[in-house]
Amino acid sequence: MATTTPPQPGATADEIEEAVRHATQRYFDDCRERVPAFIDRHFHYPGALATNRQAFGWDMLRAPFNLLWAPVYALAFIVKVLVRRRSGLKWLHRLVDHVPAGFTTQVQRYISDQILIDLLNHGQPSANVLEQYLVEDLEAVYESHASALPDHRRFSKLVAPLVEDALSQYRVTRTASADITNSLSCTVLGAFAFQKFTPGGIGLGVVLASMLAQMMAAREFIFGETLGRFYYRWFPPEPSLATTAGVMLAVMASLAAFAALSGVITDPVQAATGLHRRRLNKLLDHLQRDVALNTQNSFRPKDQFVARVLDTFDMIKSGLI
């Protein structure tokens, strides 16, 4: 990060580099100290209610699209990683780099704004607190040499994209967490309600479609519905493609609506188990490293890939792949 502030007369490059390193370390250490209070304020009750109340409204429509779009975004990210160093595939890297993560929901925007204000800027909405830390340490160096402090605005311009990209990746984890919650909910529901293994919405839709086909066939059984239920219990009919597709869409729509509000349940659970703390600390660790080494954003949470593994397993179990 020494390259962000060119050496000035009287101050050596090593001194400037040490000042930047020390300021960055102080800043992120202070951010980490604020993580527990941030989690208590926004992810424990009653803060979790205020956070997820943002989902009422257009998020009820954005959430279903995001859940359906999430596999596309995950695939695009994998392709981008694989072709990053292939000179002949730079066009593909540029193409997938423009694939959006989906619609930004009100909950995602609210949480990322709170991270930026409460966690990164210490409650100062329009301030750049990291820049303030940097100026303090650089002033000490330059005052000792009686020389003028250089323009530090270049530093802010370098850091701002890193912060925005990191917050964008953090927003993706909300969709992934909702998807994982849906998969686990379907598994529990299938086990207790239907005594079936349904690792996701597709599997649950297949089970419900089979039950609906069995019920409809029993009603039309030639010897009456009672005997029909007994007969089709042993010789279950195959649901039509239209029935299966319709039931799956209904299940996915219901799960998506649940996903928009599931944070009321999952946020306190993740806070209690330490998931929110680990995720926020990881965000700060990667952001500190990127700032210190002047590299591109390296914060890539694994939640979305866990969600995609569960989706793939659901499709395999349902016979779709």
Side-chain angles (χ1 to χ4, degrees):
M1 184 54 69
T3 56
T4 63
T5 311
Q8 300 291 317
T12 67
D14 288 342
E15 288 176 317
I16 296 171
E17 184 176 354
E18 175 60 23
V20 172
R21 187 201 64 77
H22 183 259
T24 303
Q25 185 67 50
R26 279 198 308 123
Y27 168 75
F28 282 102
D29 284 346
D30 288 349
C31 288
R32 291 185 186 93
E33 290 181 1
R34 292 194 289 270
V35 166
F38 180 87
I39 292 173
D40 288 340
R41 188 180 305 117
H42 298 292
F43 297 132
H44 281 297
Y45 292 121
L49 295 175
T51 297
N52 289 278
R53 189 166 54 230
Q54 309 293 322
F56 288 105
W58 287 107
D59 276 11
M60 301 297 290
L61 298 179
R62 294 188 186 103
F65 175 84
N66 286 346
L67 287 177
L68 294 174
W69 184 254
V72 178
Y73 178 73
L75 178 62
F77 174 74
I78 293 173
V79 171
K80 184 168 66 173
V81 171
L82 293 177
V83 304
R84 179 176 296 169
R85 293 181 175 84
R86 305 274 181 106
S87 57
L89 295 175
K90 288 184 177 179
W91 63 271
L92 182 58
H93 184 276
R94 288 193 298 269
L95 179 64
V96 298
D97 196 36
H98 288 86
V99 174
F103 287 116
T104 301
T105 65
Q106 286 297 114
V107 174
Q108 290 174 331
R109 184 176 292 109
Y110 175 80
I111 292 176
S112 61
D113 287 346
Q114 297 308 309
I115 290 175
L116 183 60
I117 296 172
D118 289 356
L119 204 58
L120 299 180
N121 284 339
H122 202 181
Q124 304 176 48
S126 58
N128 186 331
V129 177
L130 175 54
E131 182 178 325
Q132 296 173 7
Y133 278 68
L134 179 72
V135 170
E136 289 175 5
D137 281 45
L138 285 177
E139 280 180 344
V141 172
Y142 281 86
E143 283 177 1
S144 66
H145 292 279
S147 54
L149 184 69
D151 186 5
H152 55 270
R153 286 175 293 183
R154 281 185 60 195
F155 183 81
S156 299
K157 293 179 180 178
L158 289 170
V159 171
L162 296 176
V163 173
E164 176 54 36
D165 197 10
L167 292 179
S168 175
Q169 288 298 316
Y170 191 87
R171 288 194 290 266
V172 172
T173 65
R174 296 294 300 185
T175 300
S177 295
D179 208 353
I180 294 171
T181 300
N182 281 345
S183 296
L184 295 176
S185 300
C186 289
T187 302
V188 173
L189 180 61
F192 285 94
F194 310 117
Q195 289 76 51
K196 300 284 187 180
F197 179 51
T198 55
I202 296 175
L204 184 60
V206 169
V207 169
L208 292 176
S210 298
M211 294 177 62
L212 180 61
Q214 184 174 337
M215 183 178 66
M216 294 172 63
R219 288 180 178 177
E220 299 173 0
F221 193 62
I222 189 172
F223 297 114
E225 184 175 350
T226 301
L227 290 177
R229 284 200 297 267
F230 178 78
Y231 176 81
Y232 288 117
R233 183 179 303 167
W234 295 99
F235 304 99
E238 194 72 25
S240 67
L241 182 61
T243 300
T244 303
V247 173
M248 279 187 181
L249 286 175
V251 170
M252 297 301 288
S254 301
L255 290 175
F258 170 71
L261 302 172
S262 62
V264 174
I265 301 171
T266 59
D267 276 336
V269 172
Q270 292 182 64
T273 56
L275 287 176
H276 277 309
R277 175 179 52 79
R278 285 192 291 272
R279 192 179 295 140
L280 288 170
N281 281 327
K282 185 177 292 186
L283 181 148
L284 294 173
D285 290 343
H286 282 270
L287 197 53
Q288 179 178 354
R289 185 175 69 180
D290 295 332
V291 170
L293 300 179
N294 197 16
T295 58
Q296 293 183 342
N297 176 45
S298 60
F299 179 58
R300 292 292 184 270
K302 303 299 186 296
D303 306 58
Q304 58 177 315
F305 301 110
V306 174
R308 301 294 71 80
V309 168
L310 293 176
D311 288 343
T312 302
F313 185 65
D314 185 23
M315 289 187 284
I316 293 173
K317 178 66 173 59
S318 304
L320 296 184
I321 58 176

